[in-house]
Amino acid sequence: MQAKPAWWKESVVYQVYWRSFRDTNGDGIGDLPGVIEKLDYIKSLGVTMLWINPFNESPDKDNGYDVSDYYTVMKKAGRMEDFDQLVAETHARGMKLMMDVVVNHTSDRHPWFIESSSSINSPKRDWYVWQDGVHGGPPTNWRSYFNPSCWELDENTGQYYMHSFAIEQPDLNWANKEMRMEIYKMLRYWLDKGVDGLRLDALALLAKPQSYTDVEDPRDIRYLTHNPGLHDYLQEMNHEVFRHYDMMTVGEIAFATPELGALFVDEDRSELNTLFHFEVADEMPEWDMVRYKQIQRQWAEALEGRGFGSQFLNNHDHTRQVTRYGNDTEYREESAKLLATMIHTLPGIPYIYQGEEIGMTGVRYETIGEYKDIAMINKYVEEIGKGKDPAAVFQSLQPLSRDNSRTPMQWNAGRYAGFGSAEPWIKLNPNYERINVEQAESDPNSVLAFYRELIALRKNNPVMVYGDFTDISGDDPHLYVYVRELEGTEWIVLLNHGEEAHIFTFSEPICGSETMNLKLVLGNYESTSSTWNDEDRKMELRPYEARIYEVVS
Ligand code: GLC
Ligand code: CA
């Protein structure tokens, strides 16, 4: 069954990690004026929406995901006038703006938390999650994402507060209605300012476990997520906020299986428009074609006729896709284009993380001191504390460090890669002299040029958005071949995720007729004939080759 048309389903989202995008005032940190300066570039990609990572006032322990004032703009990012200008100029270019909101927790410097921790009798005590200790220790053995315990003792009141992330990120208590209403008010404030979309951080964690008891294996932190009450909160949020705006919502839903995920985006349930699940990013450290195809099949089935998905392979938390899932040396350009073809032709909304469109790669710094990622640093300290070899721990943490994606955007081969006039807050990837926007603009076959073609195709071909999806490559470990079909238009996408050539054999006529005539829509190799017609039904694909064909009768 074909999905009901909606503008947000036709979106192509470009994620801007503003602090690493463009610095305009020479403090080494990207800023909102820097985003404004580059809006024409972003527009030139053809994307329809920008997702801006959190920019509210914050002590920045977790790069803005620890908010201390929901109503102001962090000084590093700029002023409220800059934000207003960003909204206006984004709209003037026909694009939309999505804000990233963090409502599972605040900073420990937020006035709410300061008040809540001031006394057991504080009127805001119940706005956070407080518990008594047990036997002189924390209430339970639960971990946090970034620490061995999710509990921190508050010496002043003698109770522990819960933090699913860093110690400086206390969790809000979503069971408290007064607190929830305050959050909804804040969301309306930004939507009234003209924000068109919300990326909602860490949503799966809002509802807390019903009883405070130890778990068998604290390392498997699923217990922090998908607890009873979660969907009531989201329906309430929808009722109080979302349904009053013409907007798009995407939830960050950790540990969402297809069955659980469908509950968030089912159009009859009035919760969210779409979601990010992490079955790929969290559970597939390296490329695994068979597993990836299975994940896609299962999600397509679960969402069929119910809701709309999202597609991404990297973001500010996950290592750059060409390094993690492609080949960032010999086949950097081919594999970057192949992964892009896949993300833009599978069902769901495609997201591009800044720099992905020029095939930026992950980074390896020399020492732990050069890394900034709190998740990595805390893990390093924890493992060393257990007596492990520092060099070995360091090496094991490098491939998935979040800093892989947080290096400054590479604009040109000049000083600081054109990021700004001062040394950036985080070290550049040394390959900026080779891989940068200016270079890509001068090459008609660049990864950048390919992204533009791919995005333009989506605009003109609803089959990419609304088409049915059928995987015809079974469990082939290298090849991914699928059909998208909409009202008589049939596209076949062929991807060879291998370093050698591989042959695909069509098992049966795709369009009902005996001879298969295919017209090339887009390919990532220069020398590809524009038509294909072969009685053997065999097609050879070169290393990391991607082709999109239209079936012509
Ligand atoms: C999300 C963000 C991540 C942040 C965490 C805590 O996963 O994407 O960057 O550290 O939530 O807010
Ligand atoms: Ca700056």
Side-chain angles (χ1 to χ4, degrees):
M1 190 176 65
Q2 197 200 314
K4 262 189 266 135
W7 66 260
W8 57 266
K9 295 179 185 171
E10 295 165 23
S11 301
V12 178
V13 183
Y14 186 79
Q15 183 189 352
V16 181
Y17 197 64
W18 55 267
R19 71 185 61 224
S20 297
F21 198 57
R22 162 87 183 133
D23 169 25
T24 57
N25 64 347
D27 64 356
I29 306 165
D31 40 50
L32 299 184
V35 184
I36 297 170
E37 192 187 301
K38 296 295 185 184
L39 278 177
D40 286 332
Y41 168 74
I42 297 171
K43 171 75 185 166
S44 80
L45 302 173
V47 301
T48 64
M49 187 179 266
L50 277 69
W51 152 22
I52 310 281
N53 283 92
F55 54 80
N56 290 140
E57 192 55 67
S58 161
D60 244 4
K61 295 286 174 193
D62 185 22
N63 291 4
Y65 284 91
D66 47 326
V67 176
S68 55
D69 184 349
Y70 285 112
Y71 291 92
T72 54
V73 174
M74 190 188 308
K75 278 169 207 73
K76 287 175 192 168
R79 303 158 308 158
M80 190 60 95
E81 296 86 84
D82 299 321
F83 175 76
D84 291 334
Q85 192 189 345
L86 176 61
V87 175
E89 298 219 12
T90 302
H91 288 168
R93 287 166 179 77
M95 297 185 290
K96 296 181 186 284
L97 192 79
M98 175 185 278
M99 193 172 153
D100 194 330
V101 287
V102 191
V103 299
N104 174 68
H105 46 270
T106 67
S107 160
D108 62 347
R109 302 286 86 211
H110 194 292
W112 297 346
F113 186 72
I114 294 176
E115 194 175 327
S116 181
S117 54
S118 67
S119 147
I120 291 205
N121 302 317
S122 154
K124 289 208 167 49
R125 187 65 169 180
D126 189 47
W127 282 35
Y128 292 84
V129 183
W130 293 98
Q131 286 287 313
D132 289 324
V134 173
H135 308 308
T140 66
N141 65 352
W142 305 344
R143 279 192 65 95
S144 91
Y145 271 82
F146 300 163
N147 300 87
S149 172
C150 74
W151 297 105
E152 184 69 8
L153 178 65
D154 171 49
E155 302 277 352
N156 176 38
T157 59
Q159 280 191 315
Y160 288 79
Y161 67 83
M162 185 176 174
H163 58 90
S164 297
F165 295 91
I167 293 169
E168 299 88 350
Q169 291 168 299
D171 281 31
L172 287 162
N173 178 19
W174 273 75
N176 184 294
K177 180 146 193 193
E178 204 190 346
M179 185 286 291
R180 298 201 304 273
M181 292 301 147
E182 214 33 67
I183 292 288
Y184 303 149
K185 191 173 116 193
M186 178 276 288
L187 297 178
R188 287 191 297 262
Y189 169 82
W190 290 101
L191 290 162
D192 290 339
K193 266 182 163 299
V195 164
D196 310 282
L198 297 176
R199 180 266 186 191
L200 296 127
D201 187 64
L203 274 196
L205 289 93
L206 298 192
K208 303 306 173 205
Q210 279 186 315
S211 73
Y212 291 88
T213 46
D214 281 358
V215 290
E216 212 167 289
D217 178 10
R219 283 166 311 175
D220 180 359
I221 54 175
R222 267 161 237 257
Y223 48 84
L224 295 174
T225 63
H226 301 281
N227 286 303
L230 174 56
H231 292 282
D232 300 327
Y233 302 143
L234 294 180
Q235 281 165 20
E236 183 183 75
M237 203 184 292
N238 184 300
H239 187 84
E240 295 286 331
V241 186
F242 308 154
R243 73 185 183 107
H244 304 287
Y245 299 87
D246 181 23
M247 65 178 299
M248 165 171 166
T249 50
V250 53
E252 187 200 32
I253 315 290
F255 302 120
T257 58
E259 294 67 36
L260 283 178
L263 299 176
F264 293 83
V265 299
D266 187 320
E267 295 185 8
D268 294 334
R269 288 171 56 90
S270 299
E271 296 187 16
L272 303 170
N273 291 140
T274 183
L275 84 166
F276 296 125
H277 72 77
F278 294 89
E279 292 205 306
V280 179
D282 282 349
E283 294 166 37
M284 239 181 68
E286 282 159 22
W287 191 253
D288 177 346
M289 182 56 101
V290 174
R291 173 71 184 128
Y292 187 78
K293 291 196 278 196
Q294 182 192 37
I295 292 171
Q296 292 296 336
R297 274 196 298 268
Q298 290 172 344
W299 277 90
E301 266 166 43
L303 297 186
E304 161 99 66
R306 289 179 76 184
F308 216 72
S310 288
Q311 296 290 352
F312 74 100
L313 288 173
N314 56 193
N315 61 29
H316 63 294
D317 293 330
H318 296 281
T319 300
R320 290 198 170 274
Q321 63 195 40
V322 72
T323 297
R324 188 176 180 190
Y325 294 136
N327 172 324
D328 67 3
T329 52
E330 195 186 347
Y331 294 110
R332 186 183 66 88
E333 301 212 6
E334 290 82 357
S335 66
K337 292 174 186 176
L338 171 129
L339 295 173
T341 305
M342 186 173 78
I343 291 302
H344 289 254
T345 57
L346 282 170
I349 298 163
Y351 297 76
I352 300 161
Y353 177 67
Q354 68 181 43
E356 176 195 317
E357 77 278 15
I358 55 166
M360 273 178 67
T361 69
V363 77
R364 293 283 163 111
Y365 298 137
E366 307 273 309
T367 62
I368 186 77
E370 290 168 302
Y371 284 87
K372 310 281 181 194
D373 171 16
I374 187 172
M376 178 192 193
I377 295 167
N378 285 7
K379 191 82 192 152
Y380 179 80
V381 172
E382 185 182 340
E383 296 298 310
I384 302 291
K386 291 182 194 156
K388 295 202 182 142
D389 171 36
V393 173
F394 179 56
Q395 270 177 21
S396 74
L397 294 176
Q398 279 183 310
L400 297 184
S401 166
R402 301 192 297 177
D403 288 340
N404 279 293
S405 304
R406 297 177 179 184
T407 60
M409 180 73 182
Q410 297 167 194
W411 295 105
N412 57 48
R415 198 155 184 236
Y416 305 130
F419 171 69
S421 61
E423 189 169 340
W425 68 278
I426 187 167
K427 260 180 81 175
L428 280 154
N429 190 321
N431 65 21
Y432 74 87
E433 292 184 2
R434 202 163 40 85
I435 303 171
N436 60 65
V437 173
E438 200 175 282
Q439 187 282 328
E441 293 282 13
S442 70
D443 172 6
N445 293 314
S446 64
V447 176
L448 177 62
F450 190 83
Y451 265 83
R452 289 189 173 127
E453 284 185 74
L454 206 44
I455 298 164
L457 272 185
R458 192 180 191 83
K459 219 158 256 166
N460 304 320
N461 296 280
V463 65
M464 289 171 82
V465 180
Y466 298 109
D468 287 340
F469 163 79
T470 315
D471 179 355
I472 56 168
S473 54
D475 280 342
D476 188 300
H478 304 290
L479 298 175
Y480 197 7
V481 184
Y482 45 88
V483 182
R484 301 290 312 266
E485 199 264 318
L486 180 73
E487 291 159 0
T489 300
E490 227 171 319
W491 280 21
I492 302 179
V493 180
L494 297 109
L495 309 166
N496 173 19
H497 197 292
E499 260 137 59
E500 277 97 50
H502 289 282
I503 293 175
F504 182 72
T505 309
F506 291 94
S507 58
E508 51 191 86
I510 292 292
C511 54
S513 72
E514 273 309 303
T515 44
M516 251 183 51
N517 294 320
L518 303 180
K519 190 170 121 252
L520 188 73
V521 177
L522 186 67
N524 68 344
Y525 271 76
E526 258 180 272
S527 53
T528 309
S529 102
S530 60
T531 54
W532 186 81
N533 189 323
D534 186 347
E535 273 159 27
D536 293 343
R537 301 184 189 285
K538 286 191 194 317
M539 188 182 293
E540 180 169 306
L541 293 153
R542 292 162 280 189
Y544 288 108
E545 182 161 15
R547 298 189 199 176
I548 305 174
Y549 283 105
E550 181 168 354
V551 179
V552 287
S553 41

